[in-house]
Amino acid sequence: MSLHADAVRVLSGWRPSDAGQDTLRREFLAHLGEHADGMWRECVAGHLTASTAVLDATGERVLLTLHPKAKMWLQLGGHCERADTSLAEAALREAAEESGIEGLRLLPGPVRVGRHRVWCHGGSYHLDVQYTAVAPPGAREQISEESADLRWFPLEAMPDPADDTLRRLVETSGRLFAAQSG
């Protein structure tokens, strides 16, 4: 199955918890229907990306990156690559690459979607499919060249600058972790 087909399958089967997320999900599916290249950064109209809120083993902290271009704290993630076979694989690969942590465990399904303007092509969109992963006990992060900084933050104490998309992702990830653990 192609990554494009996997994205259509995942987004078609995912049932978000609110109407705004469902509207975005439908827009992502429409984009994929209109753009055979909608998974790749070469798609000028926008392209899907995969990101991950990485929680520590206790579910009390989230690992965030200070993005060098955006100058704000974000979840880990980025562009899909041609070798990726699924959105989940792309999200997990990006999280491992950017965190330096081996053994991350992805929780089921996407948890949210987000759309934001980016610098690709002089102004394009990332259609971000967001996941949650849990780091193994004692995991130690290692900053990559894609980050200006990398730090753990308590779920209820997001740093500034951070946007509402990140805050909602972290909140949803915390609830998902609690539900999976309880």
Side-chain angles (χ1 to χ4, degrees):
M1 175 183 306
S2 73
L3 185 57
H4 188 281
D6 177 73
V8 169
R9 180 191 62 77
V10 167
L11 291 168
S12 294
W14 179 56
R15 296 294 169 248
S17 60
D18 67 67
Q21 284 287 285
D22 193 48
T23 297
L24 272 178
R25 178 188 72 86
R26 291 171 191 268
E27 288 175 10
F28 286 21
L29 284 166
H31 175 81
L32 290 171
E34 295 167 10
H35 301 280
D37 63 345
M39 297 302 302
W40 315 120
R41 71 173 70 205
E42 294 82 16
C43 185
V44 175
H47 42 277
L48 266 68
T49 55
S51 69
T52 306
V54 175
L55 304 182
D56 71 359
T58 67
E60 296 175 1
R61 299 181 306 156
V62 63
L63 185 62
L64 301 178
T65 181
L66 183 59
H67 194 280
K69 288 182 183 175
K71 306 282 191 243
M72 62 190 312
W73 292 98
L74 299 171
Q75 71 273 18
L76 307 176
H79 292 104
C80 296
E81 294 181 1
R82 303 227 185 253
D84 295 328
T85 59
S86 71
L87 278 174
E89 178 185 301
L92 195 57
R93 175 189 51 75
E94 282 286 331
E97 286 175 2
E98 292 184 11
S99 70
I101 298 174
E102 293 183 24
L104 293 172
R105 178 178 54 91
L106 208 59
L107 297 183
V111 295
R112 293 192 62 83
V113 290
R115 181 176 188 250
H116 54 275
R117 197 150 181 72
V118 292
W119 308 270
C120 303
H121 310 293
S124 186
Y125 287 93
H126 279 176
L127 310 176
D128 194 35
V129 181
Q130 302 169 340
Y131 289 83
T132 302
V134 180
R140 295 198 181 270
E141 72 280 6
Q142 193 169 37
I143 196 165
S144 76
E145 61 188 35
E146 296 181 41
S147 179
D149 198 356
L150 188 66
R151 291 189 213 165
W152 293 99
F153 293 94
L155 297 188
E156 63 282 344
M158 290 292 90
D160 284 320
D163 65 11
D164 286 340
T165 300
L166 173 65
R167 293 175 200 286
R168 286 189 295 271
L169 172 60
V170 169
E171 179 183 310
T172 303
S173 295
R175 282 197 314 267
L176 179 62
F177 179 88
Q180 297 270 321
S181 301

